[in-house]
Amino acid sequence: GGTAGESGRYDLLGMLPQVKCPTLFLQGNPEMGALLAEEDLQQALELMPSAVSVRIDHAGHDIHLQDAAAALRAVTLFLESI
């Protein structure tokens, strides 16, 4: 697992359970262009039960640009927790 297959695509779902470091998923609002859908996030969290997720509703894909204060707050709290 963790390598590109014949299609040249990585098996990301297969790789997630192998991640052992603290992980933060920042999720923007899909209605504003965020790429991480709720179903995908839930699947990732099932595969990585120790991961943390934060949804920032006032931002889309460019969370750090669209709501920098919320992104910084989420990352800071996450880093302080590890």
Side-chain angles (χ1 to χ4, degrees), residues 26-80:
L26 286 180
Q27 180 190 31
N29 186 339
E31 292 179 9
M32 295 182 66
L35 299 179
L36 183 57
E38 187 63 31
E39 306 82 45
D40 296 331
L41 175 61
Q42 292 308 313
Q43 190 172 22
L45 291 172
E46 288 175 16
L47 295 169
M48 299 177 68
S50 63
V52 175
S53 69
V54 174
R55 180 172 170 146
I56 299 177
D57 285 320
H58 303 293
H61 179 65
D62 294 318
I63 296 170
H64 65 292
L65 298 175
Q66 295 170 329
D67 197 341
L72 180 60
R73 188 170 43 255
V75 171
T76 299
L77 288 172
F78 173 73
L79 291 174
E80 289 175 345

